[in-house]
Amino acid sequence: MAAIVTDQFRILNAENFVNSVTNTSNAYYVFVGLANPTASGFGKSSTWDTNTPSPIDNFEYQGFVSDNMSFGRKVTSSNVRRVVRRINWVQGTRYEMYRQDYSINSLSPVSKSARLYDANYYVMNSEFKVYTCIDNGSSGISTTGNASLDEPTFTDLEPSKPGVSGDGYVWKFLFSVAPSDVIKFDSTEYITLPNDWETTTNAQIAAVRDNGDSTVNENQLKKIYIDERGAGYSQGTHELDILGDGTGGKAILDVDALGRITSASVSSGGKNYSYAMVDLGSINSNSTTKAKLIPIIPPSKGHGHNIYHELGAERVLLYARFDDSTKDFPIDTTISQIGIVKNPTSVGSTAVFTDNQYSSMGAIKFSTTSGTLAIGDVLSQSVTGGTAKGFVFSYDTETKVAKYVQDRSLFLNQTSFDQTDYVGVTTSARVYEFASNTNAVTSDGGFSGTVDTAFTGVSTNPTGSKVISLGVNFANGVATPEINKGSGDIIYIDNRPAISRNSRQKEDVKIILEF
Amino acid sequence: MSFELGSDPELDLNAVLLIFINGVIQEPGSHYQFGGGTSFNFVTAPKKEDNISVFFYRGTRGTDSVSVEIIETIKEGDELQLMQFDNVVTQNRRSIAGIVTSDLVETNLYAGQGVSDSVSRPFDWYKQKVDKFINNNFVYKTRPSIEPHVYPTARIIGDVSSSTGEIFVDNAQFFNYEENESSIVIDAVDALIVNGGSSDPVAAAITATVGTGGTISALTITSGGSGYVGSAVTISLSAPKTIGVGVGTTASATIPVVNGALNGTANITNPGFGYNASNPPLVLSPTPNPTFENITSIDIVQGGAGIVTGITTVIGTGGQGTLGLKFFLNAASNAQYSNFANGYPIFISDTIVGRGVTSINNSQNDAVVGVGTTFVDNIYIVRNFSASAANAEFVADILSTTASSSEIPATGFVTCGRFSWGRLAGISRSSSPISIGVTGLTFSGLSTYPTIQRRTFGHRDSGALRNDLG
């Protein structure tokens, strides 16, 4: 009964998720929906905006979410990133140095963290550059180190001092957040890491990564921590071997007149160390107090070789922008649910839908109309066998296209919105599709329209001057959703106060997943 | 909400709190006990239907009291397990029943193994994975930390000087979401401006050659990259295997920038030594930093949107011989034109007439505002604006060579385009304000225009929309 799941397992899960998203045989979409959350109905609430109900994790609720799904945006490889907790460099702050041995028995000295990834050992500067703290001036005498005075701004391959204040800090540059990633992924809580660190050919990342490969460059060790400086050691400057399970490491020590080790630096980093100790045998014959020097073992093969392990990338951020760039994203609708669905299938098929965006609403193009349609109105049409019903989620007066969903709220018992029997259940509980016929489509708000049965295709030209793409294919005036309802795995649901869309409004959605 | 005291021992929360039940003031110590935190202990339990009002005197905000947005980690419904330490055995898991203060939680009553009140111990934290029923309340497994962040974002459509206190955008209403949709009052928000980002700079690839003596003899540019600025870039080389006096030093060099790429002969400022020809050092060529600015205290958010119902050519505001376009607008209400004024930029899209016009600013010597490419979609400077209820009209000056009345008939349509405008003002600039020029750009949509995204207000103080409007 002494087993743990390591932090590396969580990092692996995050990596696997990113790989799954970027795998071209998969298709992940951020979707939005539920345009009428305050209406009466299954899963809805009149106080939705002020007391938003929590989503329920069961198949029934996922069905309800599918019922009300409006449209989705594909998450491409450029829209998914691993992220880590954001630590901004702020002058005067005491940061911690990277160490391999933080634990409940050896808490980090400033934040008192029991694990490396909770310690404040890396920073992002004001230019979106990220650094690991190799040295903060700490030692066994001053375990918390110094306040950082000089902002690191350099872009070097080797760990460097950031300025001339003498604050004792040495930082290792890791990467710069790309400008295109700043708007997409920047948040006050997280730092965005580049994708494909291990394999990318980006020259800047490759240089940092390959420079951190100590098996090639023999530059693994960067820092020796003086936990106990000892006494009685041979005075002078000495270059000594670094022993352990690696090879090639050498340290340069300065010993003062009292035989105390006053400084220790790495002159040769060596390789393959998982533990190390400095060979003091040649200078300790007269030592009266034993020194304790701790060579810091970098993550992976060296600092910068694998930033996911170095920084603890156990979270993933997905980004999606909904704007007015396509008629699939109507600007007159309302959003009160956001989610992620994996591998929905194309309507009428079992093949995974792979387009950049989809509409999951049905659509009717009218030839003539009277009255107005509002979001949440109930559309009805007599069709063979009964009456088709749907909630209006959008109506474009320019193209005369109404988009609707056939939510279960229209078909369950209209008082309890559950399976309680009711008068007329035989006809009213049956789901019929809207049809291309001459029967009027009416709404409970007084609208009436005739289906444009002559219209087939994906684009229209209502003014004769400009072709407008409708986003979905119409057949004789009606269009089905582009994905099969209920298809795919809904892996994330959020209920939120309604967001009314409008022209030029951009909803930049950033979803954090924790592993 | 949790009330917590500072370090001053003379502070007394009861002195700054007033609690009423059904309008009757409650006496601290007699009717209720409160020592800070998230709950009050009443001597007699209030009824469910009682109306309880709590007033807290904050004094001078920022001096006598501060409100702190707590970034939640542990939540009600999570489980804690105190672990073995100093011969005290591991406890069974407990469910968190409440967050008492920012550093204190309440769990279910526990009478199992491993109880000790004298040994501080580590604990394991398990996030809630199923919905629970705790203290007669449903506690769902939803977590604020994983709720999506929906950020109000806009494109900047007017020049931004380093001293300006206003920024014009294509749509600003979303920045005021909570105020528009609820009774929440937004005093001010911050924002992040990012210029560029439509195409990232590409780092140059460079290889080093180690000559005799272990020094750098040459640097070869295998790919010049793009997006570099200035006349030269200082590159970084990795250190030789061993560093020390008489053993090795790190080389340094600069490389010229030509048309945004590294090109030409490297200036090796320090050839270093101690390098190995069979394993030459790696070379890093830093790319330019993103151009951005964090602006604060946006306390004026204005804007509107609607449809264009008509477009026609008119004489420009420069008089005879100049050309303008007159736009007729319609919106849901006249509120969409509130504070709209001559001289503001406006974004016109989805038009269906014309063939690309160049808009100009008559008050700036006909400086080009935007070079349109599709119909009359463009950014225009508003002149002769007037509004009547939901309708409005304005004139925009254009280059006379880019439009003709035959292409832009005087008759309008029900919908022949869309308009939107936005203004963020009252802004405090950062200590390093940036300047952004957008006038004169070729306009083919706004994807290459600078972006501004809300910060500081909202969900977890991130700038994202609040996830509750109650």
Side-chain angles (χ1 to χ4, degrees):
Chain A
M1 158 111 189
I4 60 169
V5 171
T6 69
D7 292 330
Q8 302 310 311
F9 182 74
R10 283 182 270 273
I11 293 169
L12 175 65
N13 283 344
E15 178 183 353
N16 287 341
F17 181 78
V18 171
N19 290 341
S20 177
V21 171
T22 55
N23 185 327
T24 53
S25 62
N26 290 328
Y28 286 77
Y29 292 86
V30 174
F31 67 82
V32 298
L34 191 55
N36 57 343
T38 57
S40 297
F42 180 95
K44 303 173 187 179
S45 164
S46 60
T47 59
W48 181 280
D49 286 347
T50 53
N51 187 22
T52 309
S54 292
I56 307 298
D57 189 1
N58 64 23
F59 292 127
E60 180 183 54
Y61 200 85
Q62 289 179 29
F64 161 68
V65 171
S66 291
D67 283 353
N68 289 283
M69 194 183 288
S70 298
F71 46 87
R73 168 81 83 180
K74 190 176 184 180
V75 182
T76 62
S77 59
S78 62
N79 290 337
V80 59
R81 292 285 186 277
R82 276 169 270 189
V83 296
V84 294
R85 185 171 51 95
R86 181 165 177 165
I87 305 170
N88 291 324
W89 183 87
V90 177
Q91 189 175 46
T93 302
R94 208 176 289 266
Y95 297 100
E96 293 163 314
M97 53 180 277
Y98 167 88
R99 286 185 65 145
Q100 74 277 17
D101 57 355
Y102 292 136
S103 70
I104 190 63
N105 300 314
S106 176
L107 298 174
S108 68
V110 180
S111 64
K112 303 297 180 189
S113 301
R115 66 174 198 146
L116 171 69
Y117 298 140
D118 289 334
N120 297 327
Y121 68 100
Y122 61 86
V123 295
M124 183 162 76
N125 75 0
S126 58
E127 300 170 341
F128 291 94
K129 293 175 180 169
V130 179
Y131 301 82
T132 301
C133 180
I134 302 297
D135 194 348
N136 64 352
S138 62
S139 68
I141 296 173
S142 172
T143 56
T144 55
N146 305 321
S148 178
L149 301 178
D150 297 319
E151 180 178 15
T153 57
F154 57 83
T155 312
D156 288 347
L157 284 171
E158 300 299 335
S160 302
K161 295 177 181 176
V164 296
S165 71
D167 62 8
Y169 277 79
V170 174
W171 300 93
K172 169 75 175 81
F173 169 77
L174 294 179
F175 65 93
S176 299
V177 178
S180 60
D181 281 355
V182 172
I183 279 295
K184 279 186 180 178
F185 300 105
D186 179 65
S187 85
T188 51
E189 294 183 46
Y190 302 104
I191 297 173
T192 308
L193 310 186
N195 271 353
D196 303 322
W197 185 270
E198 306 97 322
T199 57
T200 182
T201 56
N202 177 301
Q204 184 163 311
I205 293 174
V208 174
R209 177 194 66 212
D210 295 344
N211 188 56
D213 185 353
S214 60
T215 59
V216 174
N217 302 313
E218 301 188 36
N219 60 351
Q220 183 187 14
L221 305 180
K222 299 293 184 186
K223 165 71 179 170
I224 297 171
Y225 181 82
I226 304 175
D227 194 57
E228 171 54 64
R229 58 186 175 172
Y233 288 88
S234 302
Q235 185 182 2
T237 299
H238 313 277
E239 184 171 44
L240 304 173
D241 289 339
I242 298 176
L243 308 177
D245 56 353
T247 58
K250 287 185 180 297
I252 294 178
L253 309 185
D254 288 327
V255 182
D256 67 10
L258 297 177
R260 298 175 304 194
I261 299 170
T262 55
S263 75
S265 60
V266 175
S267 59
S268 184
K271 62 180 179 181
N272 295 332
Y273 288 97
S274 68
Y275 75 95
M277 60 188 300
V278 180
D279 181 4
L280 299 173
S282 61
I283 61 170
N284 69 1
S285 57
N286 295 316
S287 66
T288 52
T289 303
K290 296 303 180 191
K292 184 179 180 183
L293 306 181
I294 304 174
I296 302 301
I297 309 296
S300 183
K301 295 176 180 176
H303 288 292
H305 185 63
N306 185 322
I307 57 167
Y308 308 130
H309 293 286
E310 182 152 3
L311 302 180
E314 55 193 25
R315 296 183 179 92
V316 172
L317 197 156
L318 291 89
Y319 167 84
R321 169 171 289 182
F322 296 100
D323 52 21
D324 59 357
S325 60
T326 165
K327 292 288 184 184
D328 278 344
F329 304 160
I331 58 173
D332 63 332
T333 192
T334 297
I335 297 167
S336 50
Q337 278 183 333
I338 296 174
I340 301 171
V341 60
K342 177 189 177 188
N343 291 348
T345 53
S346 299
V347 68
S349 162
T350 57
V352 172
F353 187 85
T354 58
D355 287 1
N356 282 333
Q357 69 269 339
Y358 67 75
S359 170
S360 45
M361 300 175 283
I364 304 169
K365 189 172 188 325
F366 297 105
S367 55
T368 60
T369 62
S370 65
T372 58
L373 273 182
I375 307 304
D377 283 355
V378 177
L379 285 178
S380 304
Q381 182 195 31
S382 289
V383 296
T384 304
T387 302
K389 292 178 285 189
F391 284 121
V392 175
F393 271 21
S394 165
Y395 181 57
D396 186 336
T397 55
E398 183 180 14
T399 58
K400 292 182 181 164
V401 170
K403 297 195 172 185
Y404 64 90
V405 302
Q406 293 185 295
D407 174 14
R408 63 197 58 200
S409 303
L410 292 165
F411 307 101
L412 294 170
N413 181 297
Q414 293 299 289
T415 303
S416 58
F417 295 103
D418 61 13
Q419 291 85 349
T420 304
D421 184 29
Y422 62 95
V423 175
V425 65
T426 304
T427 53
S428 296
R430 206 175 293 270
V431 181
Y432 295 96
E433 301 292 332
F434 286 90
S436 173
N437 61 31
T438 57
N439 296 340
V441 177
T442 59
S443 81
D444 55 351
F447 170 89
S448 180
T450 305
V451 178
D452 188 352
T453 55
F455 179 74
T456 294
V458 72
S459 58
T460 183
N461 190 347
T463 61
S465 305
K466 184 177 183 180
V467 175
I468 298 172
S469 173
L470 299 173
V472 294
N473 256 310
F474 283 79
N476 303 314
V478 295
T480 59
E482 292 181 290
I483 63 168
N484 289 311
K485 183 173 169 180
S487 65
D489 298 322
I490 294 177
I491 62 173
Y492 178 94
I493 303 170
D494 172 65
N495 291 343
R496 61 178 307 109
I499 299 170
S500 299
R501 307 201 74 224
N502 72 31
S503 176
R504 296 306 305 165
Q505 182 167 295
K506 290 164 278 292
E507 294 95 14
D508 274 10
V509 180
K510 305 178 186 184
I511 298 175
I512 288 286
L513 300 176
E514 298 176 335
F515 294 92
Chain B
M1 175 77 78
S2 173
F3 297 96
E4 297 184 25
L5 287 172
S7 55
D8 188 341
E10 294 189 1
L11 290 174
D12 179 9
L13 275 176
N14 285 317
V16 292
L17 271 172
L18 283 175
I19 299 180
F20 296 85
I21 296 183
N22 300 324
V24 179
I25 191 167
Q26 305 295 296
E27 186 178 341
S30 299
H31 298 129
Y32 69 90
Q33 303 292 330
F34 183 61
T38 58
S39 57
F40 307 95
N41 293 323
F42 290 96
V43 174
T44 303
K47 298 186 186 72
K48 194 173 181 179
E49 62 273 19
D50 282 346
N51 184 6
I52 301 177
S53 303
V54 178
F55 296 92
F56 176 65
Y57 175 69
R58 293 194 58 180
T60 303
R61 296 184 183 215
T63 302
D64 299 324
S65 66
V66 292
S67 60
V68 178
E69 183 80 14
I70 298 296
I71 305 300
E72 180 194 79
T73 51
I74 286 178
K75 68 177 276 290
E76 195 177 1
D78 285 354
E79 294 182 349
L80 296 178
Q81 185 174 31
L82 295 184
M83 305 306 289
Q84 179 181 4
F85 201 71
D86 268 4
N87 296 323
V88 182
V89 300
T90 298
Q91 292 190 357
N92 301 322
R93 290 189 190 184
R94 315 175 187 203
S95 279
I96 296 175
I99 308 292
V100 181
T101 65
S102 61
D103 58 1
L104 184 66
V105 299
E106 177 186 0
T107 72
N108 57 291
L109 286 175
Y110 181 79
Q113 62 181 13
V115 174
S116 168
D117 59 2
S118 60
V119 179
S120 295
R121 302 152 65 182
F123 67 85
D124 276 359
W125 163 39
Y126 300 91
K127 293 179 182 175
Q128 184 183 1
K129 291 189 172 63
V130 295
D131 297 336
K132 295 179 178 179
F133 194 66
I134 300 174
N135 291 344
N136 286 325
N137 290 312
F138 292 109
V139 177
Y140 295 96
K141 64 179 183 177
T142 48
R143 304 193 75 82
S145 64
I146 61 167
E147 287 182 3
H149 292 206
V150 181
Y151 281 93
T153 305
R155 295 284 185 178
I156 295 173
I157 61 172
D159 290 344
V160 179
S161 73
S162 59
S163 59
T164 188
E166 65 180 5
I167 292 174
F168 292 98
V169 296
D170 63 339
N171 187 305
Q173 292 159 300
F174 215 22
F175 283 67
N176 229 18
Y177 167 76
E178 292 84 355
E179 201 160 287
N180 294 339
E181 301 291 335
S182 72
S183 58
I184 293 170
V185 175
I186 302 175
D187 292 331
V189 299
D190 298 344
L192 171 69
I193 300 173
V194 178
N195 192 17
S198 56
S199 60
D200 288 334
V202 177
I206 301 162
T207 58
T209 303
V210 179
T212 55
T215 59
I216 302 300
S217 60
L219 292 166
T220 305
I221 302 168
T222 56
S223 168
S226 63
Y228 287 96
V229 295
S231 58
V233 167
T234 300
I235 60 164
S236 169
L237 291 91
S238 49
K241 178 181 165 186
T242 303
I243 288 281
V245 178
V247 184
T249 58
T250 304
S252 59
T254 62
I255 296 182
V257 175
V258 179
N259 295 328
L262 300 196
N263 195 354
T265 304
N267 175 24
I268 301 173
T269 50
N270 180 351
F273 77 99
Y275 288 107
N276 185 338
S278 63
N279 185 23
L282 294 153
V283 182
L284 180 75
S285 52
T287 49
N289 299 322
T291 304
F292 71 96
E293 182 184 350
N294 287 299
I295 59 173
T296 55
S297 304
I298 302 170
D299 55 11
I300 298 172
V301 178
Q302 300 165 342
I307 60 173
V308 177
T309 55
I311 306 170
T312 186
T313 53
V314 294
I315 295 173
T317 60
Q320 204 66 35
T322 63
L323 188 62
L325 291 177
K326 189 168 192 175
F327 291 90
F328 300 88
L329 313 178
N330 176 263
S333 72
N334 64 356
Q336 302 296 313
Y337 313 117
S338 179
N339 297 299
F340 195 44
N342 290 326
Y344 285 6
I346 187 171
F347 177 61
I348 300 291
S349 61
D350 292 342
T351 56
I352 56 176
V353 294
R355 55 174 169 79
V357 299
T358 296
S359 56
I360 57 176
N361 189 343
N362 179 257
S363 70
Q364 292 183 356
N365 297 320
D366 290 347
V368 172
V369 176
V371 181
T373 57
T374 307
F375 297 105
V376 294
D377 292 359
N378 208 337
I379 296 165
Y380 297 93
I381 301 297
V382 171
R383 304 288 174 206
N384 298 345
F385 173 76
S386 64
S388 174
N391 297 315
E393 61 185 51
F394 72 93
V395 172
D397 292 306
I398 62 172
L399 275 185
S400 57
T401 54
T402 57
S404 68
S405 56
S406 62
E407 295 167 326
I408 305 172
T411 53
F413 305 91
V414 174
T415 300
C416 58
R418 298 187 185 281
F419 79 90
S420 66
W421 70 281
R423 178 174 176 262
L424 308 173
I427 294 167
S428 294
R429 303 298 296 272
S430 72
S431 57
S432 305
I434 61 174
S435 296
I436 298 174
V438 299
T439 54
L441 295 178
T442 296
F443 178 87
S444 55
L446 291 175
S447 62
T448 59
Y449 282 65
T451 305
I452 184 168
Q453 198 169 73
R454 194 175 80 164
R455 289 288 183 274
T456 304
F457 189 79
H459 181 46
R460 294 165 78 91
D461 239 8
S462 64
L465 304 183
R466 277 183 62 152
N467 55 4
D468 71 277
L469 296 179

